Coordinates of all heavy atoms in Angstrom, one line a residue:
L743 N 93.6 158.7 99.9 CA 93.4 159.6 100.9 C 94.7 159.7 101.8 O 94.7 160.5 102.8 CB 92.2 159.3 101.8 CG 90.9 159.2 101.0 CD1 89.8 158.8 102.0 CD2 90.5 160.5 100.3
F744 N 95.7 158.9 101.6 CA 96.8 158.8 102.5 C 98.1 159.0 101.8 O 98.4 158.5 100.7 CB 96.9 157.4 103.2 CG 95.5 157.1 103.9 CD1 94.5 156.5 103.3 CD2 95.4 157.5 105.3 CE1 93.3 156.3 104.1 CE2 94.3 157.2 106.0 CZ 93.2 156.6 105.3
D745 N 99.1 159.7 102.4 CA 100.4 159.9 102.0 C 100.6 160.3 100.6 O 101.6 159.9 100.0 CB 101.2 158.5 102.2 CG 101.2 158.0 103.7 OD1 101.2 158.9 104.5 OD2 101.2 156.8 103.9
G746 N 99.7 161.1 100.2 CA 100.0 161.7 98.8 C 99.7 160.7 97.7 O 100.1 160.9 96.5
A747 N 99.0 159.5 98.0 CA 98.8 158.5 96.9 C 97.9 158.9 95.9 O 97.7 158.3 94.9 CB 98.3 157.2 97.6
G748 N 97.2 160.1 96.1 CA 96.3 160.6 95.1 C 96.9 160.9 93.7 O 96.3 160.9 92.7
I749 N 98.3 161.0 93.8 CA 99.0 161.3 92.4 C 99.0 160.0 91.6 O 99.4 160.1 90.5 CB 100.5 161.7 92.6 CG1 101.3 160.7 93.3 CG2 100.5 163.0 93.4 CD1 102.8 161.0 93.4
W750 N 98.5 158.9 92.1 CA 98.4 157.6 91.3 C 97.1 157.6 90.6 O 96.8 156.6 90.0 CB 98.6 156.4 92.2 CG 99.8 156.4 93.0 CD1 101.0 157.0 92.7 CD2 100.1 155.6 94.2 NE1 101.9 156.7 93.7 CE2 101.4 155.9 94.6 CE3 99.3 154.8 95.0 CZ2 101.9 155.3 95.7 CZ3 99.9 154.2 96.1 CH2 101.2 154.5 96.5
K751 N 96.4 158.7 90.6 CA 94.9 158.6 90.0 C 95.0 158.3 88.5 O 94.1 157.5 88.1 CB 94.4 160.0 90.1 CG 92.9 160.1 89.6 CD 92.3 161.5 89.8 CE 90.9 161.6 89.3 NZ 90.3 162.9 89.6
E752 N 96.0 158.7 87.8 CA 96.0 158.4 86.4 C 96.2 156.9 86.2 O 95.7 156.4 85.1 CB 97.2 159.2 85.7 CG 97.0 159.2 84.2 CD 98.0 160.2 83.6 OE1 98.8 160.9 84.3 OE2 98.1 160.3 82.4
E753 N 96.9 156.2 87.1 CA 97.1 154.8 87.0 C 95.9 153.9 87.4 O 95.6 152.9 86.8 CB 98.4 154.4 87.7 CG 98.7 152.9 87.7 CD 99.3 152.5 86.2 OE1 99.7 153.4 85.5 OE2 99.2 151.3 85.9
Y754 N 95.4 154.3 88.6 CA 94.3 153.5 89.2 C 92.9 154.1 89.0 O 91.9 153.4 89.1 CB 94.5 153.3 90.6 CG 95.8 152.5 91.0 CD1 96.8 153.1 91.8 CD2 95.9 151.2 90.6 CE1 97.9 152.3 92.1 CE2 97.0 150.5 91.0 CZ 98.1 151.0 91.7 OH 99.2 150.3 92.0
G755 N 92.8 155.5 89.0 CA 91.6 156.2 89.2 C 91.3 156.3 90.7 O 92.1 155.7 91.5
T756 N 90.3 157.0 91.2 CA 90.0 157.1 92.5 C 88.5 157.0 92.7 O 87.6 157.2 91.7 CB 90.4 158.5 93.1 OG1 89.5 159.5 92.7 CG2 91.9 158.8 92.8
A757 N 88.1 156.7 94.0 CA 86.6 156.5 94.2 C 85.8 157.8 94.1 O 84.6 157.8 94.2 CB 86.5 155.8 95.6
D758 N 86.6 158.9 94.0 CA 85.8 160.2 93.8 C 85.1 160.3 92.5 O 84.0 161.0 92.3 CB 86.8 161.4 93.9 CG 87.5 161.5 95.3 OD1 86.9 161.0 96.3 OD2 88.6 162.0 95.4
D759 N 85.6 159.5 91.5 CA 85.1 159.5 90.2 C 84.1 158.3 90.1 O 84.5 157.2 90.4 CB 86.1 159.4 89.1 CG 85.7 159.4 87.8 OD1 84.9 158.5 87.4 OD2 86.0 160.3 86.9
P760 N 82.8 158.6 89.7 CA 81.9 157.5 89.7 C 82.3 156.2 88.8 O 82.0 155.1 89.2 CB 80.6 158.0 89.3 CG 80.9 159.4 88.6 CD 82.2 159.8 89.3
K761 N 82.8 156.6 87.7 CA 83.3 155.5 86.8 C 84.5 154.7 87.4 O 84.6 153.5 87.3 CB 83.5 156.0 85.4 CG 82.3 156.5 84.6 CD 82.6 157.0 83.2 CE 81.4 157.4 82.5 NZ 81.7 157.9 81.2
D762 N 85.4 155.5 87.9 CA 86.5 154.7 88.5 C 86.0 154.0 89.8 O 86.6 152.8 89.9 CB 87.5 155.8 89.1 CG 88.3 156.5 87.9 OD1 88.4 156.0 86.8 OD2 88.8 157.6 88.3
F763 N 85.1 154.5 90.5 CA 84.6 153.9 91.7 C 84.0 152.5 91.3 O 84.3 151.5 92.0 CB 83.6 154.7 92.3 CG 82.7 153.9 93.3 CD1 83.2 153.6 94.6 CD2 81.4 153.5 93.0 CE1 82.5 152.9 95.5 CE2 80.7 152.7 93.9 CZ 81.1 152.4 95.1
S764 N 83.3 152.4 90.3 CA 82.7 151.1 89.9 C 83.7 150.1 89.6 O 83.6 148.9 90.1 CB 81.8 151.3 88.7 OG 80.6 152.1 89.0
A765 N 84.8 150.4 88.9 CA 85.9 149.5 88.7 C 86.7 149.1 90.0 O 87.0 148.0 90.1 CB 86.9 150.1 87.6
L766 N 87.0 150.2 90.7 CA 87.8 149.9 92.0 C 87.0 149.0 93.0 O 87.5 148.1 93.5 CB 88.1 151.2 92.6 CG 89.1 152.1 91.9 CD1 89.1 153.5 92.5 CD2 90.5 151.5 92.1
F767 N 85.7 149.3 93.2 CA 84.9 148.5 94.1 C 84.8 147.1 93.6 O 84.6 146.2 94.5 CB 83.6 149.2 94.3 CG 82.8 148.6 95.4 CD1 83.4 148.4 96.8 CD2 81.4 148.2 95.2 CE1 82.6 147.8 97.7 CE2 80.7 147.7 96.2 CZ 81.3 147.4 97.5
A768 N 84.8 146.9 92.4 CA 84.5 145.5 91.8 C 85.8 144.6 92.2 O 85.6 143.4 92.2 CB 84.4 145.6 90.3
Y769 N 87.0 145.1 92.3 CA 88.1 144.3 92.6 C 88.8 144.6 93.9 O 89.7 143.8 94.3 CB 89.1 144.3 91.4 CG 89.9 145.6 91.3 CD1 91.0 145.8 92.1 CD2 89.7 146.5 90.3 CE1 91.8 147.0 92.0 CE2 90.5 147.7 90.2 CZ 91.5 147.9 91.0 OH 92.3 149.0 91.0
S770 N 88.5 145.7 94.5 CA 89.3 146.0 95.8 C 89.4 144.9 96.7 O 88.4 144.4 97.3 CB 88.5 147.2 96.5 OG 89.2 147.5 97.7
P771 N 90.7 144.4 96.9 CA 90.8 143.1 97.6 C 90.2 143.1 99.1 O 89.6 142.2 99.5 CB 92.3 142.9 97.7 CG 92.8 143.6 96.5 CD 91.9 144.8 96.4
Y772 N 90.4 144.2 99.7 CA 89.7 144.3 101.1 C 88.3 144.2 101.1 O 87.7 143.5 102.0 CB 90.2 145.7 101.7 CG 89.6 146.0 103.1 CD1 89.9 145.2 104.2 CD2 88.8 147.1 103.2 CE1 89.4 145.6 105.4 CE2 88.3 147.5 104.5 CZ 88.5 146.6 105.5 OH 88.0 146.9 106.8
H773 N 87.6 144.7 100.1 CA 86.2 144.6 100.0 C 85.7 143.3 99.3 O 84.6 143.0 99.4 CB 85.6 145.8 99.2 CG 85.9 147.2 99.8 ND1 87.1 147.8 99.6 CD2 85.3 147.9 100.9 CE1 87.2 148.9 100.3 NE2 86.0 149.0 101.1
K774 N 86.6 142.6 98.8 CA 86.3 141.4 98.0 C 86.3 140.1 99.0 O 85.7 139.0 98.6 CB 87.3 141.2 96.9 CG 86.8 140.2 95.8 CD 85.8 140.8 94.9 CE 85.5 139.9 93.7 NZ 84.5 140.4 92.8
V775 N 86.8 140.3 100.2 CA 86.9 139.2 101.1 C 85.5 138.8 101.6 O 84.7 139.7 101.8 CB 87.6 139.5 102.3 CG1 87.7 138.4 103.4 CG2 89.2 139.8 101.9
R776 N 85.1 137.5 101.6 CA 83.8 137.0 101.9 C 83.9 136.1 103.1 O 84.8 135.2 103.1 CB 83.2 136.3 100.6 CG 82.9 137.2 99.4 CD 81.9 138.2 99.8 NE 81.6 139.2 98.6 CZ 82.2 140.4 98.6 NH1 83.0 140.8 99.6 NH2 82.0 141.1 97.6
D777 N 83.0 136.3 104.0 CA 82.9 135.4 105.2 C 82.7 133.9 104.8 O 81.9 133.6 103.9 CB 81.8 135.8 106.1 CG 82.2 137.2 106.8 OD1 83.3 137.4 107.0 OD2 81.3 137.9 107.1
G778 N 83.4 133.0 105.5 CA 83.1 131.6 105.4 C 83.8 130.9 104.1 O 83.7 129.7 104.0
L779 N 84.7 131.6 103.5 CA 85.4 131.0 102.4 C 86.7 130.4 102.8 O 87.3 130.8 103.9 CB 85.7 132.0 101.2 CG 84.5 132.5 100.4 CD1 84.9 133.4 99.3 CD2 83.7 131.4 99.9
K780 N 87.3 129.5 102.1 CA 88.5 128.9 102.5 C 89.7 129.6 101.7 O 89.8 129.4 100.5 CB 88.5 127.4 102.1 CG 87.5 126.5 102.9 CD 87.6 125.1 102.5 CE 86.5 124.3 103.3 NZ 86.6 122.8 103.0
Y781 N 90.4 130.3 102.4 CA 91.4 131.2 101.8 C 92.8 130.5 101.9 O 93.1 129.7 102.9 CB 91.4 132.6 102.4 CG 90.4 133.4 102.0 CD1 89.2 133.6 102.8 CD2 90.4 134.1 100.7 CE1 88.1 134.4 102.3 CE2 89.3 134.9 100.3 CZ 88.2 135.0 101.1 OH 87.1 135.7 100.7
P782 N 93.7 130.7 101.0 CA 95.1 130.2 101.1 C 95.8 130.6 102.4 O 95.5 131.7 102.9 CB 95.7 130.7 99.9 CG 94.7 131.3 99.0 CD 93.6 131.7 99.9
A783 N 96.8 129.9 102.8 CA 97.7 130.4 103.8 C 98.3 131.7 103.3 O 98.8 131.8 102.2 CB 98.8 129.4 104.0
T784 N 98.3 132.7 104.2 CA 98.7 134.1 103.8 C 99.6 134.7 104.8 O 99.3 134.7 106.0 CB 97.4 135.0 103.5 OG1 96.6 134.4 102.6 CG2 97.8 136.3 103.0
L785 N 100.7 135.2 104.3 CA 101.6 136.1 105.1 C 101.7 137.4 104.5 O 102.0 137.6 103.4 CB 103.0 135.5 105.0 CG 104.1 136.2 105.8 CD1 103.9 136.1 107.3 CD2 105.5 135.6 105.5
I786 N 101.2 138.4 105.3 CA 101.1 139.7 104.9 C 102.3 140.5 105.6 O 102.4 140.4 106.8 CB 99.7 140.4 105.2 CG1 98.6 139.7 104.5 CG2 99.8 141.9 104.8 CD1 97.2 140.2 104.7
V787 N 103.0 141.3 104.7 CA 104.2 141.9 105.3 C 104.1 143.5 105.2 O 103.8 144.0 104.1 CB 105.5 141.5 104.5 CG1 106.7 142.2 105.0 CG2 105.6 140.0 104.6
S788 N 104.4 144.2 106.3 CA 104.3 145.7 106.2 C 105.0 146.2 107.5 O 105.6 145.5 108.3 CB 102.9 146.1 106.1 OG 102.9 147.6 105.8
G789 N 104.9 147.6 107.7 CA 105.4 148.2 108.8 C 105.2 149.6 108.9 O 104.6 150.3 107.9
D790 N 105.4 150.2 110.1 CA 105.0 151.6 110.3 C 105.6 152.6 109.4 O 105.0 153.7 109.1 CB 105.4 152.0 111.8 CG 104.5 151.4 112.9 OD1 103.5 150.9 112.5 OD2 105.0 151.4 114.1
S791 N 106.8 152.3 108.9 CA 107.5 153.4 108.1 C 107.2 153.5 106.6 O 107.8 154.2 105.9 CB 109.0 153.1 108.3 OG 109.5 153.2 109.6
D792 N 106.2 152.7 106.2 CA 105.8 152.7 104.8 C 104.9 154.0 104.5 O 103.7 153.9 104.9 CB 105.1 151.4 104.4 CG 105.1 151.2 103.0 OD1 105.1 152.3 102.2 OD2 105.0 150.1 102.5
Q793 N 105.5 155.0 103.9 CA 104.7 156.1 103.5 C 104.3 156.1 102.0 O 103.8 157.1 101.4 CB 105.5 157.4 103.8 CG 105.6 157.6 105.3 CD 107.1 157.6 105.8 OE1 108.0 157.5 104.9 NE2 107.3 157.6 107.0
N794 N 104.6 155.0 101.3 CA 104.2 154.8 100.0 C 102.8 154.0 99.9 O 101.8 154.6 99.6 CB 105.2 154.0 99.1 CG 106.3 154.9 98.6 OD1 107.0 155.6 99.4 ND2 106.5 155.0 97.3
C795 N 102.9 152.8 100.4 CA 101.7 152.0 100.5 C 101.4 151.8 102.1 O 102.0 151.0 102.7 CB 101.9 150.6 99.9 SG 102.2 150.6 98.1
N796 N 100.6 152.8 102.5 CA 100.4 152.9 104.0 C 100.1 151.6 104.6 O 99.3 150.8 104.1 CB 99.3 153.9 104.2 CG 99.2 154.4 105.6 OD1 98.8 153.5 106.5 ND2 99.4 155.6 105.9
A797 N 100.6 151.3 105.7 CA 100.5 150.0 106.4 C 99.0 149.7 106.9 O 98.7 148.6 107.3 CB 101.4 149.9 107.7
L798 N 98.2 150.7 106.8 CA 96.7 150.5 107.0 C 96.2 149.4 106.2 O 95.3 148.6 106.6 CB 96.0 151.7 106.9 CG 95.8 152.3 105.6 CD1 94.5 151.8 104.9 CD2 95.6 153.8 105.6
H799 N 96.7 149.3 105.0 CA 96.2 148.2 104.0 C 96.5 146.8 104.6 O 95.6 145.9 104.6 CB 96.8 148.4 102.6 CG 96.5 149.7 102.0 ND1 95.3 149.8 101.2 CD2 97.1 150.8 101.9 CE1 95.3 151.0 100.7 NE2 96.3 151.7 101.1
A800 N 97.6 146.6 105.1 CA 98.1 145.4 105.6 C 97.3 145.0 106.9 O 96.9 143.9 107.1 CB 99.6 145.3 105.9
R801 N 97.1 146.0 107.8 CA 96.4 145.8 109.1 C 95.0 145.4 108.8 O 94.5 144.4 109.4 CB 96.6 147.0 110.0 CG 98.0 147.4 110.3 CD 98.1 148.5 111.4 NE 97.5 149.7 111.0 CZ 98.2 150.8 110.5 NH1 99.5 150.6 110.4 NH2 97.6 151.9 110.2
K802 N 94.3 146.2 108.0 CA 92.9 146.0 107.8 C 92.6 144.7 107.1 O 91.7 143.9 107.3 CB 92.2 147.1 107.0 CG 92.2 148.4 107.8 CD 91.8 149.7 107.0 CE 90.5 149.6 106.3 NZ 90.1 150.8 105.5
M803 N 93.5 144.3 106.1 CA 93.4 143.1 105.3 C 93.5 141.9 106.2 O 92.9 140.9 106.1 CB 94.3 143.1 104.1 CG 94.0 141.9 103.1 SD 92.4 142.1 102.3 CE 92.6 140.9 101.0
T804 N 94.6 142.0 107.1 CA 94.8 140.9 108.0 C 93.6 140.5 108.9 O 93.1 139.4 109.0 CB 96.1 141.1 108.9 OG1 97.2 141.3 108.1 CG2 96.3 140.0 109.9
A805 N 93.1 141.6 109.5 CA 91.9 141.4 110.4 C 90.7 140.9 109.6 O 90.1 140.0 110.0 CB 91.6 142.8 110.9
R806 N 90.5 141.4 108.4 CA 89.4 140.9 107.6 C 89.5 139.4 107.2 O 88.6 138.7 107.3 CB 89.3 141.8 106.3 CG 88.0 141.4 105.5 CD 86.7 141.9 106.2 NE 85.6 141.4 105.4 CZ 84.9 140.3 105.7 NH1 85.3 139.6 106.7 NH2 83.9 140.0 105.0
L807 N 90.7 139.1 106.7 CA 91.0 137.6 106.3 C 90.9 136.7 107.5 O 90.3 135.6 107.4 CB 92.3 137.5 105.7 CG 92.4 137.9 104.2 CD1 93.8 137.8 103.7 CD2 91.5 137.0 103.3

Side-chain angles (χ1 to χ4, degrees):
L743 302 177
F744 301 90
D745 298 329
I749 66 172
W750 302 338
K751 181 177 183 178
E752 197 171 354
E753 182 70 22
Y754 296 119
T756 71
D758 296 335
D759 182 295
K761 293 182 179 179
D762 289 343
F763 165 75
S764 296
L766 291 165
F767 188 49
Y769 74 75
S770 177
Y772 175 63
H773 299 91
K774 198 77 174 178
V775 177
R776 296 292 177 262
D777 291 330
L779 292 187
K780 296 180 179 179
Y781 286 99
T784 302
L785 180 64
I786 299 178
V787 179
S788 191
D790 286 344
S791 296
D792 197 334
Q793 292 115 6
N794 280 57
C795 298
N796 193 293
L798 70 88
H799 295 277
R801 296 191 297 265
K802 290 167 63 173
M803 189 67 166
T804 299
R806 185 72 187 96
L807 279 173

